[in-house]
Amino acid sequence: MATFYPLSSEADAHLAPIEPKVFDLLSKSLPAHQRDLFSLRLQRHFQDLYDGVHAVYGHRDDFGDFLERLVLLMAGQYLACPENLRQRHAESMIWPDWFQHESMIGYIVYADRFAGGLQGIESHIDYLSELGVTYLHLMPFLKPRAGENDGGYAVANYRQVEPRLGDIDALESLTSKLRAKGIRLVADLVINHVADDHDWTFRARNGEQRYIDYFITFPDRNLPDQYERTLPEVFPVTAPGNFTFIPEMSRWVWTTFNQYQWDLNWQNPEIFLEFTDIILFLANKGVEVFRLDAIAFIWKRMGTDCQNEPEVHSITRALRAVARITAPGIIFKAEAIVGPHQLMHYLGTGRYYGKVSDLAYHNSLMVQFWSSLASRDARLMTRALSRFPTKPSNTAWASYIRCHDDIGWAISDEDAASLGWDGFAHRKFLSEFYSGNFPFSFARGGVFQENPQTGDRRISGTTASLAGLEIGLANKDEKAISLAIERILLGHALVFGYDGIPLLYMGDELGCLNDYSFSQDPDHALDNRWLHRPKMDWKKAERRNDTGSIESRIFRGLRELIRVRKQTPQLHAQVPAIVIDSGHPHIFTHLRPHPSGNLMCVYNFSEFPQTLTPHLFDTYHIFLPYDLITKRTANAWDRLVHLAPYDRLWLVDASSVG
Ligand code: GLC
């Protein structure tokens, strides 16, 4: 069969018998041009689809049948796609770098905590637009398990919305209203596990072999004990161990996270088909970005920590090809909180450069921000981020300083040692600092899942409370309050200026503090991550334009940074962020090299003013520094750059400003 895109002979031989079936299916109800568009995309991306699934399922006798079922399933969902969304996908094909664009601003919300539910969000779209949001991550909103459900990450039904929040029609209505305002909806795809009250688990418990095979189960502790030797524990305090005994089945089930979250068996191609169908079903309701939750964990291998196995990337590559063929407007974001070298595989390395996920969380940037803030020393951050491998040019980071999860001190011993620091001691210092136990700490946070075996103490808390606002307010200390606000603005400037989609976490734009009420709720009491998941305070939001209020100082500060970001082509994610050693311990600097003039982002991590001399900038052709944020130019006679406490400057050469 002749395709316009070169295929390997194996891929070609597999596609040949499938193509006519796709043609027949689509010809029945679609105009020829829409049928042909699918066929062209199938030809273009079939090799990636084939390679991805072949790496995982190619050894099976039924591989050919599987591939045919997969492609026909995709064609079926393409048929089911509403016309306006097919148009949307066509638009994304002519703007494939939309998610790398400097106009992208992300915002993360809990539908109930933000606005009562999906419909409520519709009435707050103007608030999001006022801030400049273009990407809305709605925390898990699909029907979760009854009772405790890990913040919705234990999904009972992927085709129903949590009834408290609305229904599938409300989801469709919301996505269409958001699209009209230039905002894309991001949904979690919980891909590693399902809730123990999902239909598949019921059927497995009832002894249906088809569904027993959806999970990873063992008749006794023999293999689980062997696996446990190298497996870490994600929630050592509340859910120790990685296996749970299910009396009805008389078997041990793999449960990496909580006992009520059953890990799926991705070795079974039926799981791939199920998730392909779920993704395309949700895409047809208007979801445009899928956050691949806990993606690192989906493949297990004896003798390893069962994270980052090569099959994980093959599966993601295949899912990406499914999307490129069927619904090219959708993209994937990897939630892989792993070391830098492992992380790069989620965006693609070698042959698969740029062919895996489109986005990945930049956990290190977040960790280094809090580390430098506590130590007032940017050298470790400079060291760690300058060693970070370069990402593929068609991908972007999701950059953030806070999200719904805890902060784990992912600081390598090697990076710490290169400064003569002890990694363990520094991590211990950070836990003490951010739990508020270190002398003169400005932070108020909580220790999450202390692990006595490893010494790990992760941290919960909102941006504002960790940055000093809670203590400043409690002490009615104006100076402390001002410094906290500057820290909050510094962190956001950092993520707005770094490379990728900056994510704002709900309430951070108003300085929302820790919410201690979680301990009264039996479903949340054991999980202090609820400390930083407060309800949106709309009273605070009303004060966002009252000059001089804390809310307005933060909100307007962020809005201005966002406005400047959107006019700065150097901040497109195709332009790398290159870390430069400023030679100054308190200052973090990086460059965004660009033909229209280099941009140098400069951040002061200390509460004292600092001064930089021109030679740092001359090297990068910024002879007379002009700050895009304050619109100030350095003095022409000394060309010195002065930074106020926690200042952030986005410098270009004055001559490049019109
Ligand atoms: C991800 C989520 C986290 C959840 C876990 C298990 O890491 O961000 O909140 O607990 O997955 O689903």
Side-chain angles (χ1 to χ4, degrees):
M1 163 118 347
T3 64
F4 82 96
Y5 188 81
L7 294 181
S8 68
S9 52
E10 296 82 12
D12 198 23
H14 275 91
L15 183 58
I18 302 177
E19 273 208 308
K21 294 185 184 164
V22 170
F23 187 91
D24 284 351
L25 179 69
L26 297 184
S27 296
K28 278 189 204 126
S29 19
L30 281 185
H33 74 277
Q34 290 196 345
R35 176 200 62 204
D36 294 346
L37 192 57
F38 183 89
S39 296
L40 288 172
R41 297 200 303 236
L42 180 60
Q43 292 183 9
R44 168 63 185 85
H45 297 288
F46 188 74
Q47 189 71 52
D48 289 336
L49 180 66
Y50 178 86
D51 287 347
V53 286
H54 188 265
V56 185
Y57 309 119
H59 62 282
R60 298 176 60 102
D61 295 341
D62 59 0
F63 179 65
D65 290 346
F66 158 74
L67 208 49
E68 180 174 319
R69 282 172 65 203
L70 173 61
V71 176
L72 291 176
L73 187 162
M74 289 157 55
Q77 287 287 11
Y78 177 69
L79 268 179
C81 182
E83 188 48 45
N84 62 336
L85 291 182
R86 262 198 230 118
Q87 171 70 20
R88 177 80 165 175
H89 293 307
E91 288 164 12
S92 301
M93 282 161 61
I94 48 176
W95 189 22
D97 59 332
W98 61 266
F99 62 94
Q100 298 184 295
H101 199 259
E102 58 274 16
S103 60
M104 291 303 293
I105 298 290
Y107 192 81
I108 309 169
V109 300
Y110 285 91
D112 54 345
R113 305 198 144 228
F114 183 67
L118 300 188
Q119 219 184 357
I121 296 179
E122 289 189 11
S123 44
H124 291 293
I125 295 180
D126 287 346
Y127 176 80
L128 300 174
S129 297
E130 186 182 330
L131 206 49
V133 171
T134 57
Y135 162 117
L136 181 66
H137 175 193
L138 212 53
M139 293 299 292
F141 57 83
L142 296 175
K143 190 174 175 214
R145 169 183 196 276
E148 222 186 304
N149 57 37
D150 189 21
Y153 285 100
V155 179
N157 191 319
Y158 290 82
R159 288 183 173 78
Q160 279 175 21
V161 168
E162 148 77 289
R164 267 188 322 111
L165 305 178
D167 56 18
I168 281 288
D169 294 340
L171 175 65
E172 256 188 304
S173 160
L174 174 62
T175 55
S176 104
K177 300 247 164 46
L178 289 171
R179 268 197 312 279
K181 293 285 180 152
I183 303 175
R184 315 216 181 210
L185 189 95
V186 186
D188 275 276
L189 187 73
V190 185
I191 193 169
N192 178 66
H193 44 261
V194 296
D196 63 353
D197 60 358
H198 189 285
D199 184 49
W200 301 338
T201 65
F202 278 120
R203 289 168 165 228
R205 275 205 216 85
N206 282 342
E208 281 184 53
Q209 194 58 46
R210 173 180 162 90
Y211 293 98
I212 295 176
D213 294 344
Y214 275 31
F215 301 100
I216 311 163
T217 71
F218 306 90
D220 54 39
R221 285 291 312 187
N222 182 20
L223 287 173
D225 285 343
Q226 289 183 44
Y227 278 113
E228 285 286 15
R229 283 190 206 129
T230 51
L231 281 175
E233 289 176 323
V234 180
F235 298 137
V237 177
T238 46
N242 287 274
F243 301 89
T244 303
F245 186 70
I246 307 296
E248 299 95 310
M249 293 164 79
S250 201
R251 291 182 81 82
W252 292 86
V253 174
W254 199 306
T255 51
T256 301
F257 292 87
N258 291 293
Q259 277 99 357
Y260 54 76
Q261 289 161 307
W262 291 23
D263 286 36
L264 290 160
N265 175 17
W266 278 87
Q267 290 199 23
N268 180 349
E270 295 303 319
I271 298 293
F272 190 94
L273 293 171
E274 293 278 13
F275 273 91
T276 297
D277 205 35
I278 290 167
I279 291 169
L280 296 174
F281 168 82
L282 292 170
N284 285 350
K285 304 295 169 206
V287 172
E288 297 189 77
V289 182
F290 287 91
R291 173 185 180 275
L292 302 175
D293 179 64
I295 180 74
F297 296 85
I298 68 170
W299 198 268
K300 330 289 188 195
R301 179 161 282 120
M302 182 65 84
T304 72
D305 62 358
C306 296
Q307 288 183 58
N308 313 311
E309 290 299 309
E311 289 82 353
V312 171
H313 310 304
S314 301
I315 290 169
T316 314
R317 256 162 49 217
L319 289 177
R320 181 179 189 272
V322 164
R324 289 296 182 271
I325 296 165
T326 324
I330 66 173
I331 60 165
F332 294 104
K333 173 171 64 170
E335 191 243 346
I337 309 305
V338 302
H341 290 281
Q342 295 292 359
L343 184 59
M344 294 320 291
H345 296 295
Y346 290 84
L347 297 175
T349 53
R351 261 178 79 196
Y352 305 116
Y353 177 90
K355 288 186 168 194
V356 189
S357 283
D358 307 279
L359 298 170
Y361 282 94
H362 202 319
N363 182 58
S364 294
L365 182 68
M366 186 269 291
V367 167
Q368 294 296 341
F369 165 71
W370 292 107
S371 161
S372 297
L373 207 57
S375 61
R376 280 76 164 175
D377 190 329
R379 285 177 302 161
L380 183 60
M381 181 176 198
T382 301
R383 202 59 69 94
L385 295 180
S386 58
R387 290 176 169 189
F388 223 81
T390 312
K391 68 171 177 46
S393 55
N394 63 340
T395 62
W397 296 117
S399 21
Y400 62 112
I401 49 172
R402 279 311 279 122
C403 70
H404 68 288
D405 278 329
D406 49 287
I407 309 174
W409 300 117
I411 285 176
S412 81
D413 288 342
E414 199 194 338
D415 287 337
S418 73
L419 288 172
W421 298 7
D422 177 87
F424 184 81
H426 185 59
R427 293 189 292 270
K428 182 162 180 262
F429 156 69
L430 292 172
S431 296
E432 282 179 8
F433 190 92
Y434 284 108
S435 55
N437 290 320
F438 196 82
F440 306 110
S441 164
F442 51 71
R444 214 167 249 181
V447 170
F448 178 70
Q449 303 281 334
E450 175 162 7
N451 187 338
Q453 270 169 18
T454 58
D456 274 356
R457 275 181 300 162
R458 286 135 70 183
I459 292 292
S460 290
T462 65
T463 296
S465 291
L466 296 179
L469 191 58
E470 189 171 328
I471 291 186
L473 285 169
N475 296 339
K476 300 198 173 53
D477 179 342
E478 275 308 321
K479 178 142 192 274
I481 292 173
S482 292
L483 288 175
I485 292 174
E486 295 305 315
R487 291 186 196 105
I488 294 169
L489 294 174
L490 171 72
H492 286 95
L494 176 75
V495 296
F496 292 156
Y498 213 72
D499 143 7
I501 304 185
L503 306 181
L504 266 163
Y505 185 62
M506 181 184 114
D508 281 356
E509 75 280 15
L510 300 168
C512 286
L513 304 179
N514 289 342
D515 173 5
Y516 296 94
S517 69
F518 76 94
S519 59
Q520 312 303 319
D521 180 339
D523 288 339
H524 297 164
L526 291 176
D527 185 345
N528 80 1
R529 289 177 298 175
W530 290 96
L531 199 58
H532 53 258
R533 299 169 181 174
K535 286 210 174 98
M536 183 65 172
D537 186 340
W538 290 105
K539 286 246 153 39
K540 271 172 99 57
E542 277 168 24
R543 293 195 289 271
R544 69 187 179 279
N545 288 317
D546 297 354
T547 306
S549 69
I550 290 174
E551 292 79 8
S552 87
R553 286 158 76 188
I554 303 175
F555 188 91
R556 287 191 187 173
L558 294 184
R559 205 178 47 190
E560 182 55 16
L561 283 169
I562 290 170
R563 203 188 56 75
V564 176
R565 173 181 154 90
K566 292 191 182 214
Q567 293 169 0
T568 307
Q570 289 93 335
L571 298 180
H572 189 290
Q574 263 163 21
V575 181
I578 300 171
V579 175
I580 307 289
D581 189 346
S582 67
H584 196 301
H586 305 298
I587 307 267
F588 177 70
T589 323
H590 71 77
L591 184 75
R592 306 293 300 260
H594 197 270
S596 69
N598 291 337
L599 167 69
M600 185 90 133
C601 301
V602 183
Y603 304 104
N604 178 8
F605 275 86
S606 112
E607 59 260 74
F608 298 102
Q610 313 290 332
T611 299
L612 293 172
T613 49
H615 75 272
L616 175 65
F617 308 108
D618 284 351
T619 319
Y620 305 103
H621 297 192
I622 300 173
F623 299 112
L624 184 59
Y626 170 86
D627 175 27
L628 294 174
I629 302 173
T630 56
K631 303 183 182 47
R632 279 196 321 246
T633 313
N635 288 326
W637 62 89
D638 61 9
R639 300 189 296 125
L640 292 176
V641 170
H642 300 287
L643 290 106
Y646 298 117
D647 214 352
R648 48 273 156 194
L649 305 177
W650 289 351
L651 302 176
V652 294
D653 186 62
S655 69
S656 67
V657 188

